[in-house]
Amino acid sequence: GENVGLHLPTLSVQEGDNSIINCAYSNSASDYFIWYKQESGKGPQFIIDIRSNMDKRQGQRVTVLLNKTVKHLSLQIAATQPGDSAVYFCAEAFNNAGNMLTFGGGTRLMVKP
Amino acid sequence: ETGVTQTPRHLVMGMTNKKSLKCEQHLGHNAMYWYKQSAKKPLELMFVYNFKEQTENNSVPSRFSPECPNSSHLFLHLHTLQPEDSALYLCASSQEVALAGPPDTQYFGPGTRLTVL
């Protein structure tokens, strides 16, 4: 699948547990952060985003937390399901920058039944 | 599915070949993108088109030549590639290139897995 060869951090969780995926971003001036999910054989799929003037945003079963002090972003998935198994990427962007995204290296989430 | 299709899904080519990758979006978007996803690097933006006009070339070698005949179709013409160009090439689209405010959400196709021998 995608990213074979890239030494991705891997998180292995039991089905039903909560998952926390972390991302350290590079630019303290970034205005906007996005989480993408990439399943095997598919392209990245938007999950949730957050603006830099927020520190938390919730979606359906997912929560993104932003800590600008240490340039850290996390994605929390509640009640992890087998369908959540994928590679998760964070991306950062600036306002007024023409949709330019800078992606992180990704984390592989494996859900054990 | 995301509404973005790519063909072919897999391509093997020699270094002297010429081939093209095709992307089509059925979302009514006006911006389209090419990305490279290789085994050793994070996802890299290559080209951006907004209303058929190229707005970004991220220092991509000239052996990659994009073409955007209309807002629904995007091509990537390949010639004289190198083995290190082997990667997954992803196409994406968004409503348009947001010149102000946060970026528009990008929707990705499944990619073309390219192997250069």
Side-chain angles (χ1 to χ4, degrees):
Chain A
E2 288 74 25
N3 293 303
V4 172
L6 190 65
H7 293 291
L8 296 175
T10 299
L11 176 65
S12 185
V13 300
Q14 201 71 37
E15 181 179 358
D17 288 351
N18 296 334
S19 302
I20 300 176
I21 300 169
N22 297 305
C23 175
Y25 62 91
S26 58
N27 196 323
S28 58
S30 292
D31 298 304
Y32 190 69
F33 303 90
I34 311 164
W35 280 101
Y36 278 91
K37 171 188 181 183
Q38 187 173 21
E39 298 175 80
S40 182
K42 297 184 179 180
Q45 176 186 3
F46 173 90
I47 302 173
I48 191 169
D49 55 18
I50 188 169
R51 300 188 185 208
S52 61
N53 61 356
M54 303 168 68
D55 54 21
K56 180 179 180 179
R57 190 172 185 210
Q58 289 186 291
Q60 186 177 13
R61 264 197 327 117
V62 295
T63 301
V64 56
L65 299 178
L66 176 62
N67 185 331
K68 293 182 287 294
T69 302
V70 294
K71 295 191 289 185
H72 184 268
L73 193 67
S74 68
L75 178 70
Q76 300 179 0
I77 304 174
T80 312
Q81 302 169 359
D84 295 325
S85 295
V87 177
Y88 290 81
F89 298 95
C90 67
E92 58 188 301
F94 297 100
N95 284 336
N96 313 320
N99 281 22
M100 298 281 288
L101 301 179
T102 300
F103 283 84
T107 296
R108 187 180 304 280
L109 176 64
M110 299 176 63
V111 182
K112 297 177 288 186
Chain B
E1 298 303 325
T2 63
V4 181
T5 59
Q6 292 187 242
T7 55
R9 294 295 308 276
H10 300 272
L11 178 63
V12 180
M13 59 187 290
M15 290 190 286
T16 58
N17 291 160
K18 291 184 180 180
K19 297 287 184 182
S20 294
L21 310 184
K22 179 182 176 182
C23 176
E24 183 173 1
Q25 57 91 5
H26 309 273
L27 301 169
H29 288 166
N30 297 299
M32 297 188 78
Y33 311 76
W34 279 117
Y35 285 87
K36 177 182 179 182
Q37 189 173 42
S38 62
K40 298 182 179 179
K41 293 183 180 180
L43 199 60
E44 298 174 273
L45 179 67
M46 300 174 71
F47 301 103
V48 181
Y49 278 82
N50 195 36
F51 293 92
K52 301 189 297 178
E53 299 296 321
Q54 188 180 120
T55 59
E56 185 70 29
N57 176 337
N58 196 21
S59 302
V60 180
S62 59
R63 58 186 183 270
F64 296 91
S65 175
E67 178 190 1
C68 188
N70 54 62
S71 292
S72 298
H73 293 86
L74 185 65
F75 295 89
L76 188 62
H77 304 300
L78 315 171
H79 64 98
T80 324
L81 293 193
Q82 305 298 310
E84 58 265 30
D85 297 321
S86 297
L88 183 71
Y89 288 85
L90 290 159
C91 173
S93 72
S94 70
Q95 186 59 49
E96 61 183 56
V97 173
L99 297 179
D104 283 347
T105 299
Q106 295 181 31
Y107 297 84
F108 285 82
T112 296
R113 171 68 62 187
L114 174 67
T115 303
V116 182
L117 302 177

